[in-house]
Amino acid sequence: MPSEHLVRDHTIYACVMGSRAFGLATDGSDTDRRGVFLAPTPLFWRFEKPPTHIEGPAEEQFSWELERFCELALRANPNILECLHSPLVEHVDATGRELLALREAFLSRRVHETFTRYALGQRKKLEADIRVHGAPRWKHAMHLLRLLMSARDLLRTGTLTIDVGDRRDSLLSVKRGEVPWPEVESWMTRLATETDEAATVSPLPAEPDRARVEDFLIRVRRASALQPDPYDEGVQGVVGTRGVRQG
């Protein structure tokens, strides 16, 4: 099956991410679209498996196959967790609504490690920019501050909110280069410290609810196997003849 058909015909959830979802969009902001597709189960019975992710077909569009998406979310991947909490949902079907209902099952104190590790990597890149070019990439500095705020608040409250709300103006002033780097650096350090402190008393569980997510994945794979599949009539014949046990 062509990749674009998987995105077009089998997307269960699609949203807008980036600055528009974060409440930081300006007139020149792109529209970054992210989605999750459910590859028909019979495609996994072939030697050539369906892709784990697809770029496109539209510009600034990227989608993950459901299983890969769940794997990354269970690992507390920041980009994936934020995708699940976008306030700008463009499409969701019944399976997608089940996925969204599982949002809290993916959250755990693992976010402290993954968010702060990613933030540390980005900060090192900003410091390298200063050494080489004399200034950081201010847009990246803004997004690093936003990420640190999000991680701190998530660990404090157990809830992931990605819209910056009333912090918009102060963050955009960083993007425009209006805040001196030493002040931005101090802000980052303070946020990192607050994030570490929040992790010690976080209401989040130590581990995500992997069993609950796996049960969801198995159910949707089984349901997909029982659906008419125009791409593999032979396989559907086997399924229809022998059946698939419900459990």
Side-chain angles (χ1 to χ4, degrees), residues 35-56:
V36 182
F37 64 92
L38 174 63
T41 299
L43 295 182
F44 290 92
W45 298 338
R46 304 173 179 180
F47 287 120
E48 184 177 355
K49 307 300 181 186
T52 59
H53 59 270
I54 296 171
E55 188 169 354

Side-chain angles (χ1 to χ4, degrees), residues 73 76-82 85 103-116 146-162 167 191 194-205:
N77 179 290
N79 291 327
I80 299 293
L81 292 180
E82 291 187 332
H85 291 78
R103 284 185 292 197
E104 73 280 4
F106 293 107
L107 296 177
S108 72
R109 291 198 296 273
R110 287 186 181 187
V111 300
H112 178 233
E113 178 187 357
T114 56
F115 276 64
T116 55
R146 182 208 62 79
L147 181 73
L148 286 167
M149 291 176 184
S150 181
R152 179 200 60 189
D153 294 346
L154 169 57
L155 287 163
R156 283 178 173 175
T157 67
T159 301
L160 180 56
T161 302
I162 66 173
R167 301 161 178 162
L191 286 169
E194 291 172 353
T195 299
D196 291 342
E197 293 171 348
T200 64
V201 293
S202 177
L204 290 173

